[in-house]
């Protein structure tokens, strides 16, 4: 599924242990020559998924008034059911994915806090060096680099969708020094926060 096309309850999904592991990390490892950690479900979970899938199919087929909301609700249930099932797997590969998934969940829900690589390593029950190696292999960058990029993406969203000051937005994404935030934003986005806001405003005007 394409998350950008759906309004999903992301903060709630991010708290489900298997969500990031199954939907964000596992796909990166499904490459030629690499073994796949398949999701096996119990008969009870399969019956639950079958019911949810039937409801989803019925709604998108009949298209009764309100079907979009009903379909999205059914789809969200499917995601949570699969994520919960993945969180209960006992294979070594799933354990590694779940640990990294916990780190992603922490970054995505606690990005405004002062998180160090030691903090993230403690969440995963790994040494900082071991976490750095696994995280880079799975995500393609170091944990702190990912945290900074996530903060800047959220800051960009706030710049586009609100009139909050740069200092206020800096605080919201975890920076007490707005000048340091501005430097980090420019390094990541290639443009200053104020210039980004002006550019986003011009693009919105053109779109309208």
């Amino acid at each position: 599924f394409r998350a950008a096309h759906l309004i999903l309850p992301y903060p709630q999904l991010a708290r489900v242990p298997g969500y990031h592991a199954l939907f964000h990390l596992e796909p990166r490892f499904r490459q030629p020559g690499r073994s796949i950690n398949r999701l096996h479900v119990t008969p009870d979970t399969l019956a639950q998924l079958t019911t949810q899938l039937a409801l989803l199919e019925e709604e998108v087929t009949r298209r009764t008034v309100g079907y979009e909301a009903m379909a999205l609700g059914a789809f969200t249930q499917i995601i949570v059911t699969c994520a919960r099932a993945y969180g209960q797997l006992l294979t070594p590969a799933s354990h590694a994915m779940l640990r990294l998934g916990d780190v992603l969940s922490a970054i995505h829900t606690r990005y405004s806090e002062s998180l160090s690589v030691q903090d993230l390593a403690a969440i995963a029950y790994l040494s900082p060096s071991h976490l750095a190696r696994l995280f880079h292999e799975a995500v393609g960058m170091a944990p702190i680099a990912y945290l900074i990029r996530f903060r800047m993406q959220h800051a960009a969203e706030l710049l586009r969708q609100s009139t909050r000051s740069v200092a206020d937005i800096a605080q919201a994404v975890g920076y007490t020094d707005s000048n340091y935030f501005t430097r980090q934003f420019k390094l990541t986005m290639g443009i200053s926060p104020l210039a980004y806001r002006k550019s986003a405003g011009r693009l919105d005007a053109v779109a309208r």
Side-chain angles (χ1 to χ4, degrees):
F1 67 95
R2 296 178 181 175
H5 293 210
L6 299 172
I7 304 175
L8 295 170
Y10 182 76
Q12 289 75 30
L13 290 175
R15 296 190 187 101
V16 182
Y19 175 73
H20 281 297
L22 179 60
F23 292 104
H24 292 165
L25 296 172
E26 281 284 356
R28 297 184 67 94
F29 281 81
R30 293 175 198 152
Q31 301 171 3
R34 191 190 291 269
S35 62
I36 298 176
N37 186 41
R38 299 185 185 280
L39 172 61
H40 295 274
V41 299
T42 65
D44 287 344
T45 300
L46 182 59
Q48 185 179 4
L49 284 167
T50 301
T51 300
Q52 293 164 351
L53 286 163
L55 174 60
L56 175 61
E57 183 179 24
E58 180 181 5
E59 290 296 335
V60 298
T61 300
R62 292 189 176 183
R63 294 176 176 263
T64 306
V65 175
Y67 81 94
E68 297 96 337
M70 289 290 289
L72 185 61
F75 186 67
T76 303
Q77 290 181 42
I78 292 167
I79 291 176
V80 173
T81 300
C82 289
R84 285 175 173 173
Y86 189 92
Q88 296 172 357
L89 293 179
L90 300 176
T91 64
S94 67
H95 278 189
M97 290 296 101
L98 285 168
R99 288 182 176 186
L100 292 178
D102 288 342
V103 173
L104 284 178
S105 291
I107 290 174
H108 286 219
T109 58
R110 298 169 52 192
Y111 58 88
S112 62
E113 300 178 20
S114 178
L115 293 172
S116 67
V117 68
Q118 288 78 15
D119 295 327
L120 298 175
I123 291 169
Y125 297 100
L126 298 170
S127 69
S129 59
H130 193 188
L131 171 65
R133 181 178 62 80
L134 290 178
F135 197 93
H136 193 280
E137 182 181 3
V139 181
M141 64 180 68
I144 297 303
Y146 183 91
L147 170 62
I148 292 171
R149 189 184 71 170
F150 186 83
R151 285 172 168 172
M152 295 306 113
Q153 289 173 341
H154 186 58
E157 182 179 353
L158 292 174
L159 287 164
R160 290 195 308 270
Q161 299 180 358
S162 77
T163 57
R164 296 167 68 175
S165 68
V166 170
D168 190 23
I169 291 174
Q171 189 80 31
V173 299
Y175 295 93
T176 57
D177 184 340
S178 61
N179 291 325
Y180 180 71
F181 161 75
T182 296
R183 291 196 297 272
Q184 288 291 342
F185 189 92
K186 192 169 184 178
L187 283 172
T188 304
M189 309 299 291
I191 190 173
S192 72
L194 289 177
Y196 180 88
R197 171 172 275 167
K198 290 178 181 178
S199 176
R202 286 196 296 270
L203 289 175
D204 287 344
V206 171
R208 288 193 296 268

